[in-house]
């Protein structure tokens, strides 16, 4: 009787190790040109049992089982049904079950995933998994300069310094121009011009000469000179103090005087324009022209300080629009040139330079990555009650807990793990 009891206990243990355990069973819709993935954890030496079926008998392009590393353990192409496909698990990990549909229409799929534990120890293995974040820290060595002090260096620097700057007035034109009347005499030309040639800029090693502005003034009639004399009286004291010249036109050219006097009252007016060579010719022929400045009246004036207009030759074009009377026009033009004088001078200098020492150091860089891992496994405990209950269920009818207890049997569990069962020794006292 004792031997029969022990044999039943061993058979029960072996059957427990070999029974397939349901992991997942479901019916799902695989949409057109879509892919569905399932992930489950398996213990070492497990056997995966895969059953798959397309309800309507239509093909599914790919059914594949992959390891955590990405290597394929099983793959079937254009299949409608898979029955009891066994896949052996070499190492504990998370396995991916991939179902891919390349057709436009969807598929209704039914799957059942089971596992046969490799040993009784893994019978209650938890197939759930979770994402685990790991951190990888690397250290990169590099050289860093560290400030340890400053060095003071005394030296002499030779520079070209400005020693003197003065203003020079250059008279470009100061004369009367007589314009004929249009009249009735054939060949009379009531137009004329006065050329204005500006001095060129000069650059030497220790001196520069640069035109910084020029201006013109026009007055009609011989009496216009009296009006220009009023300009001289206006700046008699101002010009000597501020710009070093007594010319009112020079003072106006560089902005020291805002306005100038011109003739007024009755008299023959003049049409005038400041042009270049091509437009001078157009003016003389009575054609349309462009001008840098123009006007019509008893007098006028204008200054130019743009660097582009302070070099070259320009023309003051004049026209008498009177039919019978000739016209005398007073034309004045002045350029102002700035003269700068330099000298080489030695200057004592102090330069403070930082002093560094190179030393080796390292920087820390941490990168995180996510991977799938098995969830925490509760340790299996096959104690007295587990085996005692299994013995009662598989023992002949009429045997109960009380029956066994009255026979004074003691059960001892020996923690020896064999490939497919855990032996239990029953000792009688």
């Amino acid at each position: 009787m004792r031997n029969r009891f022990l044999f039943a206990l061993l058979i029960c243990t072996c059957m427990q190790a070999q029974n397939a355990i349901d992991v997942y069973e479901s019916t799902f819709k695989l949409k057109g040109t879509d892919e569905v993935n399932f992930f489950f954890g398996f213990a070492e030496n497990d056997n995966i049992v895969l059953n798959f079926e397309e309800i309507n008998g239509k093909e599914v392009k790919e059914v594949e089982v992959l390891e955590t590393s990405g290597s394929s353990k099983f793959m079937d192409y254009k299949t409608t049904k898979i029955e009891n496909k066994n896949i052996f698990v070499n190492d504990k990990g998370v396995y991916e079950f991939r179902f891919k549909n390349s057709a436009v229409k969807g598929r209704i799929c039914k799957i059942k995933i089971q596992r046969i534990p490799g040993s009784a120890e893994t019978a209650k293995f938890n197939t759930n998994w979770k994402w685990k974040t790991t951190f990888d820290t690397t250290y990169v060595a590099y050289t860093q300069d560290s400030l340890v002090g400053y060095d003071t260096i005394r030296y002499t620097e030779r520079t070209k310094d400005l020693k003197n700057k003065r203003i020079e007035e250059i008279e470009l034109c100061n004369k009367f121009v007589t314009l004929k009347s249009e009249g009735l005499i054939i060949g009379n030309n009531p137009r004329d011009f006065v050329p204005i040639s500006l001095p060129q800029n000069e650059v030497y090693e220790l001196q520069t000469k640069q035109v910084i502005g020029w201006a013109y003034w026009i007055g009609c009639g011989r009496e216009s000179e009296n009006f220009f004399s009023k300009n001289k009286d206006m700046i008699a004291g101002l010009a000597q103090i501020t710009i070093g010249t007594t010319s009112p036109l020079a003072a106006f050219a560089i902005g020291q005087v805002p306005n100038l006097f011109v003739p007024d009252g009755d008299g023959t007016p003049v049409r005038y324009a400041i042009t270049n060579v091509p437009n001078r010719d157009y003016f003389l022929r009575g054609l349309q022209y462009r001008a840098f400045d123009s006007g019509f009246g008893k007098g006028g004036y204008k200054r130019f300080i743009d660097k582009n207009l302070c070099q070259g030759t320009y023309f003051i074009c004049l026209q008498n629009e009177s039919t019978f009377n000739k016209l005398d026009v007073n034309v004045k033009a002045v350029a102002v040139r700035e003269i700068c004088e330099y000298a080489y001078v030695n200057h004592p200098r102090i330069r403070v330079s930082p002093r560094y020492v190179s030393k080796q150091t390292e920087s820390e860089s941490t990168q995180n990555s996510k991977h799938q891992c098995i969830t925490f496994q509760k340790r299996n405990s096959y104690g007295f009650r587990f085996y005692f209950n299994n013995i009662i269920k598989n023992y002949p009818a009429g045997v109960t807990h009380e029956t066994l207890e009255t026979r004074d049997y003691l059960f001892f569990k020996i923690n020896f793990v064999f490939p497919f069962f855990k032996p239990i020794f029953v000792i009688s006292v």
Side-chain angles (χ1 to χ4, degrees), residues 370-395:
K370 295 179 67 176
H371 61 274
Q372 295 166 314
C373 66
I374 305 297
T375 56
F376 176 75
Q377 301 292 323
K378 293 184 178 180
R379 187 170 182 178
N380 296 327
S381 176
Y382 299 94
F384 169 79
R385 179 55 59 185
F386 171 78
Y387 288 99
F388 188 79
N389 289 337
N390 277 279
I391 291 170
I392 296 302
K393 287 190 288 183
N394 294 282
Y395 212 69

Side-chain angles (χ1 to χ4, degrees), residues 320-429:
N320 179 12
E321 295 191 352
S322 174
T323 305
F324 303 104
N325 299 322
K326 66 178 182 178
L327 178 63
D328 293 326
V329 181
N330 190 359
V331 179
K332 300 179 184 296
V334 173
V336 178
R337 186 163 63 175
E338 182 182 68
I339 301 175
C340 296
E341 297 175 349
Y342 300 88
Y344 287 111
V345 180
N346 294 326
H347 298 279
R349 305 290 192 204
I350 297 177
R351 182 174 60 243
V352 178
S353 301
R355 185 170 66 252
Y356 296 94
V357 172
S358 298
K359 64 178 183 178
Q360 295 292 329
T361 185
E362 59 183 19
S363 64
E364 179 180 318
S365 176
T366 303
Q367 295 181 342
N368 62 323
S369 59
K370 295 179 67 176
H371 61 274
Q372 295 166 314
C373 66
I374 305 297
T375 56
F376 176 75
Q377 301 292 323
K378 293 184 178 180
R379 187 170 182 178
N380 296 327
S381 176
Y382 299 94
F384 169 79
R385 179 55 59 185
F386 171 78
Y387 288 99
F388 188 79
N389 289 337
N390 277 279
I391 291 170
I392 296 302
K393 287 190 288 183
N394 294 282
Y395 212 69
V399 179
T400 62
H401 293 77
E402 291 78 8
T403 306
L404 291 175
E405 289 172 359
T406 56
R407 298 186 59 149
D408 297 324
Y409 283 103
L410 291 178
F411 292 80
F412 291 88
K413 172 185 171 184
I414 310 300
N415 289 317
F416 291 175
V417 180
F418 290 92
F420 297 104
F421 65 92
K422 177 179 287 188
I424 301 297
F425 291 87
V426 183
I427 302 176
S428 175
V429 229

